[in-house]
Amino acid sequence: MDRSPQPNNVNSINVGIKIKNFLKVQKARKWCCYEWFYSTIDRAIFLGDNDFATCLKSMYPDIEPGTKLTRLQWSIIRRSFGKPRRCSSKFFEEERMMLEGKRNKVRQLQLGEVKCSDRELFKDIPDEVPAMLIIGTSVTAHIPEGLFVGEVEAVDPGTTSYRIRFDRPGLGTHTVPDHNVQCNGEVEMISKDSLFTNNDPSDLMPEVMLPHPSISSYMNSENNLSSGVLGGYPVPFLRCIVKMNKLLKVKHELLNKMKNLNSTVERKTSFKEPMDSGTQLMYATVVLDLDKLNKTLNTNIKELQSHCKTHLGSETIAAIQVKAECMEISEQLVKEANQLIKLKHEKSTKFVAELTALLVQVEKLSTSKNASLMPILNESIKNLRSVVHPSNLHSFQDNVEVPLAHIQARLKQEFLTNPD
């Protein structure tokens, strides 16, 4: 049997040898990299519609892709785009800046850092962009030594880079920018429209918020809405908290609008400019919305308080309120005393305020004769002990814990002797 190589195989072997010799030259390897290597983040930019195709779609929407035109027709179309740029260093510098701007927009989309109002700024970005690569993804990375295969070990969104461990012995691990990393497998794509839809500010309004799909069926049940328990808490109580959170977000936005309008009014007043009807209407609308929102918040706060009394008990709520009052009084006392002492260290000031709050709690405990407030004092001592440095712990026990333990024992004896 003749095992001599066939002519086609010989040609393939010869071509392979030529390519191998060609790629030994550094300039040849660079040329191949610049010509065919597209990083994952650049694929959406370079392999999608170019600027010419985008302009053609916007200016001549009737021309469908694949339409055959004459040379004269193409000349007319090109002339309508304006005078072409001269190939110069300034031109390449602007193109690189434009490319970096598009890369930054893709990175913002990958991180989800976009708002609905920014939709127009992302018109030059394709409808789908690649998601950020995850740990363990097989990639090809471009480093000064050439193109090498490796695996993603870590992702650093702050520096827009990946830490890659290369398969080739001796290369080790390198931190490579994302525009020099290409995924070897299928890349997950993110829809641009879905990101803008999810970040629509109108979704913050309570009237249009929908429950999470995983609990939507649970929430729709009449029995669960009235008496159900989710995560150890009553469903009506959880709904009230979620509603309060969304109402506060809406109020925060309205207050920002009011702040901007106040700045506009102050500027126009200082320059003695007339107030247009549009600004007045907008100002009045924000004021009315705030008034309506405050009424809804008051109603929701009363409902939340009733749930807290039912779920936590009136004694627990009273103890929490007493603790907050004591802390507020101590902070005021420390603030007044600090005008003379001028203690600048923030942690020390806070620690002094918490120590003062202990004394105020003891005073409240002795005057109210309420034994249910005793756990609040014990909890405050425990919290203070946790922040004390180990070297000062012995001093804290001698000067704080032991005297307070004597006071607590005396108060307990009084409560037992005079329960009224």
Side-chain angles (χ1 to χ4, degrees), residues 322-339 341 343 346-361:
V322 168
K323 184 178 180 181
E325 289 175 7
C326 293
M327 193 63 198
E328 187 177 350
I329 293 170
S330 68
E331 286 177 349
Q332 185 64 30
L333 291 172
V334 172
K335 185 178 180 181
E336 292 174 0
N338 201 28
Q339 293 178 357
I341 303 172
L343 187 63
E346 186 178 350
K347 288 186 178 180
S348 300
T349 308
K350 186 179 178 181
F351 187 73
V352 171
E354 290 177 350
L355 286 172
T356 309
L358 285 178
L359 299 177
V360 180
Q361 287 176 26

Side-chain angles (χ1 to χ4, degrees), residues 40-52:
T40 303
I41 196 173
D42 287 343
R43 277 183 173 274
I45 300 171
F46 286 113
L47 301 184
D49 289 340
N50 54 30
D51 293 340
F52 180 79

Side-chain angles (χ1 to χ4, degrees), residues 19-64:
I19 293 175
K20 184 178 179 180
N21 294 332
F22 175 74
L23 293 177
K24 288 179 180 178
V25 183
Q26 186 178 6
K27 289 185 177 180
R29 290 198 301 272
K30 283 187 176 181
W31 177 79
C32 291
C33 178
Y34 295 149
E35 188 70 25
W36 288 296
F37 178 80
Y38 289 96
S39 64
T40 303
I41 196 173
D42 287 343
R43 277 183 173 274
I45 300 171
F46 286 113
L47 301 184
D49 289 340
N50 54 30
D51 293 340
F52 180 79
T54 304
C55 292
L56 189 63
K57 283 182 181 179
S58 61
M59 296 181 66
Y60 301 96
D62 296 334
I63 300 178
E64 298 180 357

Side-chain angles (χ1 to χ4, degrees), residues 364-375:
K364 290 273 187 183
L365 193 61
S366 60
T367 55
S368 64
K369 307 291 184 181
N370 189 355
S372 64
L373 301 180
M374 195 71 75

Side-chain angles (χ1 to χ4, degrees), residues 199-308:
N199 292 326
D200 193 338
S202 62
D203 291 343
L204 296 174
M205 296 299 292
E207 291 79 8
V208 298
M209 287 303 297
L210 298 175
H212 194 274
S214 62
I215 61 172
S216 59
S217 58
Y218 185 92
M219 297 288 284
N220 288 332
S221 172
E222 293 183 1
N223 296 330
N224 290 334
L225 285 173
S226 59
S227 59
V229 176
L230 187 65
Y233 296 94
V235 171
F237 178 60
L238 295 175
R239 291 185 65 189
C240 193
I241 292 175
V242 172
K243 185 178 179 182
M244 176 66 75
N245 183 38
K246 298 187 187 308
L247 286 170
L248 290 173
K249 284 182 179 179
V250 175
K251 185 170 182 178
H252 181 69
E253 287 192 351
L254 288 174
L255 289 175
N256 284 336
K257 287 183 181 179
M258 176 69 77
K259 184 179 178 181
N260 294 332
L261 286 171
N262 284 337
S263 301
T264 304
V265 171
E266 289 176 1
R267 180 178 57 79
K268 289 190 175 184
T269 304
S270 60
F271 286 104
K272 297 181 180 180
E273 296 179 0
M275 201 68 60
D276 57 283
S277 57
T279 305
Q280 293 177 358
L281 179 62
M282 193 181 300
Y283 201 95
T285 304
V286 173
V287 171
L288 292 174
D289 288 344
L290 274 173
D291 182 59
K292 183 179 177 181
L293 187 63
N294 286 333
K295 291 178 181 178
T296 309
L297 274 171
N298 288 333
T299 306
N300 204 65
I301 287 171
K302 292 177 181 178
E303 185 182 351
L304 192 59
Q305 286 175 343
S306 65
H307 282 301
C308 289

Side-chain angles (χ1 to χ4, degrees), residues 89-105:
S89 59
K90 183 70 174 176
F91 169 74
F92 288 117
E93 183 181 347
E94 291 178 2
E95 288 294 310
R96 291 190 185 99
M97 290 176 60
M98 192 182 302
L99 173 60
E100 192 58 34
K102 289 183 178 180
R103 285 173 177 169
N104 289 332
K105 290 179 182 179

